[in-house]
Amino acid sequence: MRSLTIALALATPVWASEDIADQYPQSVLYSKPVEYIPGVYSAIGATAPPTYENSGHNNNLSFIVTGEGVVVVNGGAAYVLAEALHQEIQAITDQPVKLVFNENGQGHAMLGNAYWSDLGIPIIAHSDGAAEFEEYGPQILEGMKRYNQDKAEGTFLAAPTETFDDEYVVELGDFRIEAKYLGPAHSPGDISIWLPNQSLVIAGDMAFHERMLPIFQDTYTADWLETWDNEFEALNATYVIPGHGHPTNMDQVRRYTRDYLIYLRGKIQEHMDAGGDLAEAYYVDQSPYAHLDTFEELATKNAGRVFEQMEFE
């Protein structure tokens, strides 16, 4: 009966949409954590930019109840978000939180470290993600304070307590948990959490599907595609919890991550071959992806950045 309930819940999801300000008004979390497969939960964030209404919860905050303790994936965007997630964990299990992983150096992955560090819980990240947070942490914190106002109270910069370069493996209870740096992807230090016994990957920003992926100044799309083809696909995951949006499968994230990058690079190449310049590149046709959340915010920026990259490839 329990598995049927989960299946029904997954069959009729409430989408994490740009148009829904808050799905869980009783909490600062955007949505209540849901058990996706036994022992693996995720509080799905809004597929929108961070706002006061969503409290900066615009990424997925996941946790694994192992039988010998809880492992959290993502610190959260603020002290109050991490605290709210912990309250949800405590309502589900009396197992203590043993470890927190930061999926990269962005604010919604690391600013909530303030709460977890106050509890003395080890916080693990890739060395590049930690370096990114060390360099840009003060401005990331100030940006969060501007949109989160009183909800920023208590948040301070707390770096990961331990870093790794390739892989960090934890065995707790029923789970082997492999934090993997698969290679360059969306942002420096992106990691994915692979559960081989469950064939589930908490992909982080390696994979997108309900919202358009953003291409940053330091997002090199050719490298991301190489990482995807050579490493991420090799996991052959049955279940995927992406960095943003609801749990899904490889077909969906492939369609809206790998295939989108190939599509956009192809359109930019056509534009360059025709002698087009940067000013026109912003407006190459991306209509097949116009239904994705954050399309209006990101499509033209993505095109411009890919043009700038491909000029020098």
Side-chain angles (χ1 to χ4, degrees), residues 140-207:
I140 291 171
L141 177 59
E142 289 308 308
M144 188 276 289
K145 287 179 176 178
R146 282 194 293 273
Y147 73 75
N148 240 354
Q149 303 169 47
D150 58 297
K151 295 179 184 177
E153 185 176 349
T155 306
F156 57 89
L157 297 177
T161 60
E162 191 173 345
T163 63
F164 69 96
D165 291 326
D166 298 313
E167 184 178 69
Y168 188 101
V169 178
V170 179
E171 297 204 34
L172 277 175
D174 300 326
F175 290 84
R176 177 179 171 87
I177 301 168
E178 302 177 1
K180 291 178 172 291
Y181 176 69
L182 299 173
H186 171 258
S187 61
D190 277 329
I191 63 170
S192 296
I193 309 299
W194 172 233
L195 309 180
N197 297 335
Q198 290 74 26
S199 191
L200 180 145
V201 62
I202 302 174
D205 283 349
M206 176 66 68

Side-chain angles (χ1 to χ4, degrees), residues 61-64 70-76 85-86 89 97-102 116 193:
L61 304 177
S62 302
F63 57 93
I64 306 162
V70 177
V71 174
V72 172
V73 182
N74 274 329
L85 184 69
H86 196 197
I89 293 170
V97 174
K98 293 288 188 74
L99 199 66
V100 174
F101 284 108
N102 295 152
W116 302 111
I193 309 299

Side-chain angles (χ1 to χ4, degrees), residues 64-118:
I64 306 162
V65 181
T66 71
E68 294 182 0
V70 177
V71 174
V72 172
V73 182
N74 274 329
Y79 191 105
V80 294
L81 268 180
E83 183 178 35
L85 184 69
H86 196 197
Q87 290 169 354
E88 297 292 332
I89 293 170
Q90 290 171 320
I92 291 166
T93 179
D94 58 3
Q95 296 173 39
V97 174
K98 293 288 188 74
L99 199 66
V100 174
F101 284 108
N102 295 152
E103 71 182 13
N104 52 38
Q106 296 177 45
H108 55 204
M110 286 199 181
L111 286 175
N113 288 353
Y115 173 79
W116 302 111
S117 68
D118 271 355

Side-chain angles (χ1 to χ4, degrees), residues 7-19:
L8 288 172
L10 291 172
T12 56
V14 178
W15 299 113
S17 170
E18 284 190 292
D19 301 322

